């Protein structure tokens, strides 16, 4: 379907501004650009926000209103493993905390190129282990645990689910993967060709991200880098995979959902026609993105068996 009018206008405005692409600026400049595009949203109220250290990794805990214990959702931010932090994930963390009545643990994992693969994945797994052991401190229920992430964060959520299966825990009950990165080897999908530029995330930027995170091409075949390339996806948690029509990552996200289903995992794929990469963080500015956030929170509530 046609590009959503709000996104069409936003992209026109960005194009009119001009300026260098992400791949043309120093990493720290790219990080500042991303922070400006995805600011914190303190106006989205939750009961409490606390900065902590989770398994040696900086993190931020969001507690919903009401009486616990609450389910726990581990939140892994997007940004190609290179940009993004607790501030850029603040809006979606608050939305999920409120909408799903869940404690959200947002993880400030180490970034590339200073810390290359598998640093980000190991940090997210360590923080998840911590959450199962210390959830009660923040009124969380370690027996109701989900992993959530968008883009590179979706990659990390999928990877943590595989790590937990392979390493004997913790038990993860659900994975919410929003336009996840799943394949660092194949860049010749239809969605990469059709959406290579002009829709915020570009094919050029994805190559730039991969080159920083996993610069050795053969290492990208490791399933903890490219979860789609795992030889066995059985015994993983049920999953909701959300994709955007105008996104280079659309096809690999949907391929991961099909691969999960082929190996016996309850996996649902929902494509949001007319939307672009990044919609999970655009609920305050793009009306069409609000439905996707509502659906994500509803899926978490259902997985947690909340009425």
């Amino acid at each position: 379907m046609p590009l959503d009018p709000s996104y069409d206008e936003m992209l026109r405005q960005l194009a009119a501004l001009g300026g260098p692409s992400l791949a043309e600026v120093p990493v720290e400049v790219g990080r500042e650009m991303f922070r400006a595009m995805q600011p914190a949203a303190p106006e989205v109220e939750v009961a409490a926000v606390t900065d902590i250290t989770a398994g040696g990794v900086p993190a931020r805990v969001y507690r919903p209103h009401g009486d616990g214990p609450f389910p726990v959702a581990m939140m892994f931010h997007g940004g190609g493993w290179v940009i993004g932090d607790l501030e850029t994930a603040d809006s979606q963390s608050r939305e999920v905390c409120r909408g799903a009545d869940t404690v959200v643990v947002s993880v400030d994992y180490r970034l590339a190129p200073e810390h290359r693969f598998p640093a980000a994945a190991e940090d997210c797994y360590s923080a998840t282990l911590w959450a199962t052991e210390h959830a009660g401190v923040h009124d969380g229920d370690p027996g109701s645990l989900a992993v959530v992430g968008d883009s590179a964060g979706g990659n990390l959520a999928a990877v943590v689910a595989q790590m937990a299966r392979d390493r004997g825990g913790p038990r993860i009950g659900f994975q919410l993967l929003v336009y996840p990165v799943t394949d660092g080897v194949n860049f010749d999908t239809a969605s990469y060709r059709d959406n290579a530029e002009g829709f915020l995330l570009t094919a050029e930027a994805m190559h730039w991200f991969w080159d920083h995170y996993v610069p050795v091409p053969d290492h990208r075949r490791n399933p903890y880098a490219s979860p789609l390339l795992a030889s066995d996806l059985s015994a993983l948690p049920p999953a909701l995979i959300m994709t955007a029509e105008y996104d280079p990552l659309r096809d690999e996200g949907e391929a991961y959902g099909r691969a999960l289903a082929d190996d016996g995992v309850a996996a649902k794929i929902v494509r949001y026609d007319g939307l672009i990469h990044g919609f999970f963080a655009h609920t305050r500015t793009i009306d069409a993105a609000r439905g996707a956030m509502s659906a994500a929170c509803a899926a978490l509530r259902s997985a947690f068996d909340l009425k």
Side-chain angles (χ1 to χ4, degrees):
M1 65 180 291
L3 185 67
D4 181 87
S6 296
Y7 272 126
D8 188 43
E9 178 60 25
M10 184 190 82
L11 293 172
R12 289 177 186 273
Q13 292 177 2
L14 289 173
L17 290 174
S21 69
L22 181 64
E24 295 173 327
V25 300
V27 166
E28 191 50 53
V29 173
R31 290 170 181 165
E32 291 298 331
M33 291 167 55
F34 195 53
R35 290 187 192 107
M37 292 177 65
Q38 295 191 186
E43 68 275 15
V44 181
E45 293 185 2
V46 298
V49 180
T50 309
D51 287 342
I52 63 163
T53 300
V57 183
R60 182 171 292 169
V61 177
Y62 298 80
R63 184 191 182 281
H65 292 283
D67 298 324
F70 302 98
V72 178
M74 304 301 299
M75 176 72 71
F76 309 130
H77 67 76
W81 314 279
V82 177
I83 59 180
D85 52 31
L86 296 178
E87 299 303 310
T88 65
D90 182 71
S91 175
Q92 65 199 46
S93 297
R94 290 172 177 271
E95 294 274 10
V96 169
C97 176
R98 290 208 319 183
D101 283 329
T102 180
V103 169
V104 170
V105 181
S106 181
V107 181
D108 198 14
Y109 55 85
R110 288 172 292 172
L111 299 176
E114 297 91 339
H115 306 282
R116 302 190 191 275
F117 172 79
E122 294 293 350
D123 282 358
C124 291
Y125 179 71
S126 293
T128 303
L129 281 176
W130 175 93
T132 63
E133 297 168 358
H134 300 88
V137 175
H138 300 279
D139 266 349
D141 175 8
S144 296
L145 179 67
V147 288
V148 181
D150 66 308
S151 194
N155 168 281
L156 293 168
V159 167
V160 168
Q162 290 191 24
M163 286 178 163
R165 178 200 61 181
D166 298 344
R167 299 176 180 181
R171 181 188 175 279
I172 296 171
F174 189 70
Q175 46 184 331
L176 173 60
L177 313 179
V178 184
Y179 36 81
V181 188
T182 66
D183 187 350
V185 175
N186 179 19
F187 298 95
D188 192 35
T189 62
S191 62
Y192 254 104
R193 295 191 300 269
D194 295 344
N195 307 306
E197 57 184 31
F199 299 106
L200 200 60
L201 177 67
T202 65
E204 176 190 46
M206 281 308 305
H207 284 287
W208 185 79
F209 288 136
W210 275 110
D211 288 345
H212 280 310
Y213 183 50
V214 194
V216 180
D218 281 350
H219 293 175
R220 298 178 189 177
R221 296 185 179 278
N222 187 317
Y224 293 166
S226 297
L228 180 59
L229 303 187
S231 60
D232 178 12
L233 295 174
S234 64
L236 288 172
L240 171 61
I241 297 92
M242 308 174 81
T243 66
E245 181 180 10
Y246 295 97
D247 182 359
L249 303 181
R250 182 195 69 212
D251 290 352
E252 65 191 74
E254 294 175 2
Y256 191 62
R258 292 191 297 271
L260 287 170
D262 287 345
D263 279 359
V265 176
K268 181 179 181 181
I269 303 166
V270 179
R271 180 189 296 186
Y272 285 86
D273 291 331
L275 301 193
I276 68 172
H277 190 89
F279 65 72
F280 205 55
H282 298 159
T283 55
R284 291 174 299 145
T285 54
I286 304 293
D287 287 346
R290 294 175 186 163
M293 176 60 76
S294 294
C297 292
L300 285 166
R301 293 181 65 88
S302 177
F304 293 141
D305 197 26
L306 297 176
K307 306 303 181 185

